[in-house]
Amino acid sequence: MTGSIPIKTPEEIEAMREGGAILKETLDEMGKAVRPGISTYELDQLAEEIITSHSGAKPGFKGYRGFPGTLCVSVNDEVVHGIPSPDRILQDGDIIGIDCGVLYKDLYTDACRTFLVGDVDPDIQHFVKTTKKALNQAVKVVKPGNTIGDISAVIQKTIEQQGYSPVVECTGHGVGKNLHEPPEILNVGQKGTGPTIKPGMVLAIEPIANMGSGQVVTADDRWTVLSADGSPSAHFEHTVLVTESGCEVIV
Ligand code: MG
Ligand code: MG
């Protein structure tokens, strides 16, 4: 992902807000549907129904580089890109990252939340909350004049302060006409480095952390990324518009 960082037109921004609202609705419904006993395939079907119930909206991930699902579903030690399956039944105590994209009026939005399934170990809950906090802290530094490295630095600090590990291989990105556009937004980095943030940029910021080491491996399905040590992994993502004075969370 090299090249200049696209600046969105007012029309593109409005379309992304509309697409983002569809994606927000989808993730809100996922939060209600996640429970012990449901399969990741059922979640995927539900998400696709919700997205396609809106005229002109399509799942953003389905078919992208051949990915088969509407959702990337990553359970426990799965980090990203898990494939929905009728055989993968959620169990009490699991955590699940649900990452989803919407394509609307030729523009993508991209967001992820990690949900608790039933009664989750308090230490794992704290880990999930910390990863969510990393996203919230990162959004606070998105404003014109700051840099992409400022985002990376706050993510790394928030996660490492609690003894967890950011996953270096998985990065945020610009989003718009393409699902992945410049800039690459690492989950580790130095303040004051990288491109300067400007109004009209739209960034998908996505802290991804492992409870143990940050090392990852790819499963035999060639999609699912797993923590190398089997420790739980969490992922939160917002699509964020840079405004004149700060930013607006699109989804
Ligand atoms: Mg995503
Ligand atoms: Mg993304």
Side-chain angles (χ1 to χ4, degrees), residues 92-116:
D92 190 49
D94 284 347
I95 58 171
I96 178 172
I98 298 186
D99 191 358
C100 187
V102 163
L103 179 59
Y104 181 73
K105 296 186 177 171
D106 296 323
L107 291 150
Y108 290 94
T109 48
D110 185 7
C112 179
R113 299 179 196 165
T114 296
F115 298 102
L116 308 177

Side-chain angles (χ1 to χ4, degrees), residues 99 110 171 173 180 204 206 237:
D99 191 358
D110 185 7
T171 69
H173 49 93
H180 298 109
E206 46 184 319
E237 178 179 24

Side-chain angles (χ1 to χ4, degrees), residues 168-198:
V168 178
E169 281 83 350
C170 302
T171 69
H173 49 93
V175 59
K177 284 182 188 155
N178 301 291
L179 183 56
H180 298 109
E181 298 180 346
E184 190 169 57
I185 308 172
L186 295 173
N187 284 319
V188 293
Q190 301 275 329
K191 263 174 121 170
T193 62
T196 301
I197 296 170
K198 294 183 180 150

Side-chain angles (χ1 to χ4, degrees), residues 153-231:
V154 77
I155 290 171
Q156 178 175 11
K157 185 175 157 203
T158 308
I159 291 167
E160 288 183 346
Q161 263 177 351
Q162 297 296 318
Y164 310 128
S165 305
V167 176
V168 178
E169 281 83 350
C170 302
T171 69
H173 49 93
V175 59
K177 284 182 188 155
N178 301 291
L179 183 56
H180 298 109
E181 298 180 346
E184 190 169 57
I185 308 172
L186 295 173
N187 284 319
V188 293
Q190 301 275 329
K191 263 174 121 170
T193 62
T196 301
I197 296 170
K198 294 183 180 150
M201 290 179 177
V202 179
L203 306 173
I205 300 170
E206 46 184 319
I208 299 172
N210 291 348
M211 214 168 155
S213 109
Q215 300 299 112
V216 294
V217 292
T218 303
D220 291 339
D221 66 17
R222 296 167 133 215
W223 276 108
T224 314
V225 176
L226 299 148
S227 67
D229 61 4
S231 67

